[in-house]
Amino acid sequence: MPAPLLHIDTTPELPAAADVVVIGGGVVGTFTAYYLARRGVSVALVEKGRIGAEQSSRNWGWCRQQNRDARELPMATKALDLWDRLAAEIGEDPGFRRCGLLYLSNDEAEIARWAKWRDFAAGEGVVTHVLGAAEAREHGRATGREWKGGVFSPTDGIADTSRAVPIAARGVMKAGGSVHQFCAARGLELEGGRVSGVVTEKGTIRTKVAVMAGGAWASSFCRQLGIRFPQAAVRQSIMAVGPNVAGLPDALYTAGVSLTRRGESGGYNLAISGRARVDPTPQQILFAREFVPMFAKRWRVLLPGGAEAWRSGHETAKRWALDKPTPMERMRILDPKPDARLVAETHRRALALLPALRDTAITASWAGYVDSTPDGVPGIGEVTGVPGLVLAAGFSGHGFGIGPGAGHLIADIVTGAEPLVDPRPYHPDRFHASAWGKVAEF
């Protein structure tokens, strides 16, 4: 069963021209279009499948500052402020709540790392409470266990992954932009080396600016233009239980299993943090050297996968023609099979951790491809050598929470406005250097 998702009606007619064309209707592309449209910019958002149907609706839904890499923390903080405003701006509720995020642990080294991060974040104006054993036991009373410690970040929160991005897309249209589902962008047209149009399966949109926010598809799209963007994706699985579960935290992390309250249903999404399958692809082979530092940090939670990603085509090394169907049209929505063994293990751990779940059944499970860069920080900025092409991809499992902040920053870059945060740490030119010593801790 795929992840729950609100389906929306979008703009039927493709415009002949637009000031900006945003490619990819996930959280980053949609919020980019949203903040451009609110500034009066003529913007068209094109999506090969449904709005929000890939990883943007398949993640935990956490909107957090806690434990963010120093490069991402400013954007995460700004994103929370933007999440706060969305319901009033759009007139629909994306399900965002500052419920606080709770982390519990019996690993003293892990608790020490969290405390060190708290000390760093305090200098950035972020409040995090480090919990002693008694406080952790009280916060984690739903587990019925003793804990050595934990952290609680009261200003962090969650949003409804089934609704947030489609509602933002409605906000694009309310603000005067156009949104086009089942309209794959096949490539770009260039004049004098700069962007002059976006070629879609339904026709060409004349434009001087294109934003590539294609998630797991971004690198293969860039390859068509001779742009080398190191990116690789892993397959993560999530399951859902409920509804009618009471007495649990809205959002809880433990090393064994984590959970998030799902919308208004009373059910919960469950996952094991970081655990994923590595499905080999031509692109992973191509960028293997760049990802050695990442793999060196993550190998304990990464397991070998199968051939599904190779067949899906999102990490192909091939070139395609602009006048014929592309891999995006053959695979409208990446909907990989969840890891059945991991789902069963997640459920077993959840029942052992939280007695309130013992009378619940698995109601759904799904998987998604989480795209990453070699250092775990997104690539955002105009591509050197292709004026008018702005890259916004490689969000490394963090895109949902920081999506409004990223979209606002990209809109700033496109319009020449004062940037929401310093854009320099995100510029894709950094991928020309090694990622050793720079991999995000997540």
Side-chain angles (χ1 to χ4, degrees):
M1 180 181 294
L5 180 65
L6 173 67
H7 290 181
I8 62 170
D9 294 326
T10 51
T11 314
E13 296 296 326
L14 201 67
D19 295 334
V20 183
V21 177
V22 179
I23 301 167
V27 63
V28 173
T30 300
F31 275 111
T32 297
Y34 173 72
Y35 288 112
L36 286 169
R38 284 178 59 83
R39 299 178 194 196
V41 175
S42 168
V43 60
L45 173 63
V46 295
E47 163 56 43
K48 63 182 173 51
R50 289 193 176 275
I51 294 293
E54 294 190 339
Q55 190 56 23
S56 294
S57 60
R58 297 164 186 265
N59 62 87
W60 293 15
W62 286 26
C63 304
R64 65 178 173 90
Q65 300 164 101
Q66 178 66 41
N67 292 337
R68 285 286 186 208
D69 184 88
R71 291 162 288 185
E72 281 190 350
L73 181 58
M75 188 187 296
T77 299
K78 295 292 187 181
L80 285 166
D81 294 337
L82 296 170
W83 276 113
D84 275 330
R85 305 173 197 169
L86 280 173
E89 288 177 355
I90 299 175
E92 292 187 78
D93 184 7
F96 174 71
R97 294 179 294 118
R98 289 194 189 239
C99 58
L101 304 181
L102 175 62
Y103 293 64
L104 297 173
S105 180
N106 282 318
D107 183 335
E108 293 180 355
E110 185 173 47
I111 297 167
R113 288 195 299 272
W114 294 341
K116 182 179 179 181
W117 187 91
R118 183 272 314 269
D119 295 341
F120 149 72
E124 305 297 319
V126 177
V127 175
T128 290
H129 302 302
V130 175
L131 309 177
E135 295 169 305
R137 181 176 64 250
E138 175 59 24
H139 277 79
R141 57 188 176 276
T143 68
R145 296 185 180 186
E146 299 290 325
W147 298 94
K148 289 184 178 180
V151 291
F152 181 66
S153 51
T155 59
D156 288 350
I158 58 175
D160 188 341
T161 55
S162 69
R163 295 174 52 81
V165 179
I167 284 173
R170 284 178 175 165
V172 174
M173 293 182 285
K174 287 180 180 179
S178 64
V179 180
H180 309 274
Q181 297 181 111
F182 297 100
C183 181
R186 292 175 172 176
L188 303 182
E189 288 186 347
L190 305 179
E191 290 182 4
R194 68 167 300 120
V195 172
S196 62
V198 173
V199 180
T200 81
E201 63 180 294
K202 296 181 179 179
T204 299
I205 307 174
R206 310 306 301 175
T207 188
K208 293 183 178 180
V209 180
V211 177
M212 166 32 59
W217 298 84
S219 184
S220 60
F221 186 96
C222 288
R223 193 170 298 116
Q224 311 309 307
L225 299 161
I227 299 165
R228 197 174 194 274
F229 172 41
Q231 182 186 36
V234 296
R235 173 167 48 99
Q236 292 188 337
S237 299
I238 292 183
M239 53 163 289
V241 297
N244 303 319
V245 184
L248 300 183
D250 285 336
L252 170 66
Y253 164 90
T254 73
V257 67
S258 298
L259 82 160
T260 311
R261 191 175 190 274
R262 191 178 66 251
E264 298 179 355
S265 71
Y268 280 82
N269 292 344
L270 305 169
I272 299 175
S273 180
R275 189 72 65 85
R277 293 279 179 180
V278 180
D279 295 337
T281 66
Q283 187 167 291
Q284 288 193 356
I285 297 169
L286 182 65
F287 296 135
R289 181 178 60 84
E290 282 91 338
F291 279 88
V292 169
M294 175 73 76
F295 184 76
K297 281 200 171 187
R298 310 278 184 253
W299 66 271
R300 291 180 180 84
V301 294
L302 298 177
L303 300 173
E308 187 171 4
W310 196 295
R311 293 192 295 267
S312 295
H314 61 289
E315 292 192 349
T316 180
K318 296 180 179 179
R319 299 290 184 95
W320 56 71
L322 302 187
D323 59 350
K324 298 177 182 178
T326 66
M328 287 89 72
E329 290 144 89
R330 291 190 287 271
M331 179 59 67
R332 293 284 179 183
I333 296 171
L334 286 173
D335 186 24
K337 293 179 181 178
D339 182 340
R341 292 177 64 182
L342 182 57
V343 168
E345 175 66 10
T346 303
H347 194 219
R348 184 192 67 77
R349 292 187 185 190
L351 299 186
L353 179 69
L354 298 159
L357 295 178
R358 290 176 185 167
D359 292 329
T360 65
I362 298 174
T363 56
S365 62
W366 58 86
Y369 283 114
V370 180
D371 61 296
S372 180
T373 62
D375 60 9
V377 174
I380 301 173
E382 188 172 41
V383 175
T384 301
V386 187
L389 174 59
V390 177
L391 181 65
F395 280 77
S396 307
H398 310 160
F400 183 80
I402 65 176
H408 196 294
L409 174 62
I410 298 157
D412 295 338
I413 292 170
V414 167
T415 60
E418 180 70 23
L420 183 74
V421 297
D422 183 359
R424 289 174 295 181
Y426 312 113
H427 198 280
D429 279 355
R430 74 181 191 277
F431 298 127
H432 300 318
S434 170
W436 281 107
K438 303 174 186 175
V439 178
E441 292 294 338
F442 289 32

